[in-house]
Amino acid sequence: MFLPPVSLRRSFALATLLCATTSLSGCLFVTDTTRMDPAVFVQETAPVFGVPAYVDPPSNNPPPMPGAIPQKRQLYPTDFHQTYGLPVSNPVHRTMYEIMRDEGHTLPAIPTSRVDPRFLRQEVAYKTTEAPGTIVVDTRAHFLYLVQENGKAMRYGVGLGKAGYGWTGRGIVQWKAKWPRWTPPDDMVARQPELRQFAASEGGATPGLNNPLGARAMYIYRDGKDTLYRIHGTPDWQSVGKATSSGCVRMFNQDVIDLYNRVPPKTTIVVI
């Protein structure tokens, strides 16, 4: 019996093994083309962190009243802060104008990011011949100054009378009231008959968050007579810095409470 040389037999065996390996390569060594998909690559190679979906930070502000103007954040005018949504705010002002509980009422926070910063409460240099403790109302600039020692004053933004309803002169704060009732003057009722329900004969408007006099009122007299003008708070914070009232001096409720606590009755007031 003829047997091929050993070398030939080995070559034949190697060829047989190579063919078997080649026939199976389609199953064992298929290239995974999904790894070429960028989305798959990122998913499999990026680190995984438990990042919860973004939600607005909790707020202690009360829900908006029906018909209230919706508030909107004001962002820094830079790409970084626009991206991350950091609101313009001053920690001191946030403290001054945050939600406040007073005499059984809860005052909502003032959205200071939507207020011209000139009209926010601040101590300023102020030159005047008026004595410390005097209230000076600058009707042109819409500022109220409480004169202090050493050329300083506490300055507040105020809303003032529309054209034809303003007044100037000197007077005194005859008396003060917390959460006062509002009784519109007769001439105002004549112009706006819908206010008759709040006339003095009807008992006036009930104190509260919607009362036009707000949290405090300081009643201004001149020569012993009631001028019918008041320094008072307002639920309409957007009117501060504007000429919208019927001659009275409007302040943020948080500011009028601060001023009320600083001035005694018989304080001199100068309106210029």
Side-chain angles (χ1 to χ4, degrees):
M1 181 178 180
F2 174 75
L3 295 174
V6 175
S7 60
L8 184 59
R9 293 200 303 270
R10 289 177 177 173
S11 297
F12 179 77
L14 182 60
T16 302
L17 179 61
L18 180 61
C19 289
T21 303
T22 302
S23 66
L24 294 175
S25 64
C27 296
L28 299 180
F29 302 102
V30 176
T31 302
D32 186 1
T33 57
T34 61
R35 300 301 178 89
M36 301 175 66
D37 185 339
V40 173
F41 177 81
V42 170
Q43 182 178 3
E44 294 189 358
T45 60
V48 178
F49 300 99
V51 180
Y54 174 79
V55 295
D56 285 330
S59 171
N60 59 0
N61 289 353
M65 293 183 179
I69 299 175
Q71 299 180 10
K72 182 179 180 181
R73 284 184 179 179
Q74 176 185 352
L75 303 179
Y76 284 107
T78 66
D79 292 340
F80 176 85
H81 290 97
Q82 286 285 359
T83 300
Y84 290 95
L86 299 180
V88 172
S89 60
N90 181 318
V92 174
H93 290 153
R94 283 207 308 270
T95 301
M96 289 179 176
Y97 296 105
E98 65 184 356
I99 190 170
M100 178 183 291
R101 293 174 178 83
D102 177 79
E103 302 285 329
H105 300 277
T106 300
L107 290 168
I110 302 296
T112 54
S113 63
R114 298 181 61 194
V115 177
D116 186 326
R118 295 178 302 155
F119 299 125
L120 299 176
R121 187 193 327 161
Q122 53 198 286
E123 187 178 64
V124 297
Y126 186 64
K127 294 182 178 180
T128 179
T129 58
E130 301 294 342
T134 303
I135 294 172
V136 179
V137 179
D138 184 338
T139 58
R140 178 173 296 181
H142 288 81
F143 291 142
L144 181 150
Y145 296 91
L146 177 59
V147 180
Q148 299 180 325
E149 301 280 354
N150 302 317
K152 299 287 187 180
M154 187 63 70
R155 190 180 77 187
Y156 308 83
V158 295
L160 295 167
K162 295 176 288 189
Y165 295 101
W167 64 282
T168 58
R170 302 179 71 90
I172 62 169
V173 175
Q174 183 71 17
W175 57 288
K176 310 186 301 179
K178 296 182 178 181
W179 294 99
R181 284 184 172 270
W182 176 64
T183 54
D186 293 340
D187 59 341
M188 181 181 290
V189 173
R191 294 193 307 269
Q192 299 174 261
E194 68 275 11
L195 298 180
R196 188 170 303 281
Q197 59 181 316
F198 305 117
S201 59
E202 302 295 330
T206 302
L209 296 179
N210 293 321
N211 189 295
L213 291 184
R216 301 287 189 275
M218 285 159 267
Y219 296 77
I220 301 171
Y221 279 57
R222 181 165 51 189
D223 299 328
K225 298 180 180 180
D226 188 354
T227 65
L228 301 181
Y229 295 116
R230 319 287 185 235
I231 300 172
H232 63 85
T234 178
D236 182 14
W237 60 266
Q238 292 179 313
S239 65
V240 171
K242 300 179 177 64
T244 57
S245 76
S246 294
C248 291
V249 179
R250 296 184 180 186
M251 304 178 70
F252 296 123
N253 275 320
Q254 285 84 340
D255 280 351
V256 79
I257 291 174
D258 182 82
L259 180 65
Y260 181 99
N261 292 335
R262 292 175 185 266
V263 300
K266 310 301 182 182
T267 292
T268 299
I269 177 171
V270 182
V271 180
I272 58 177

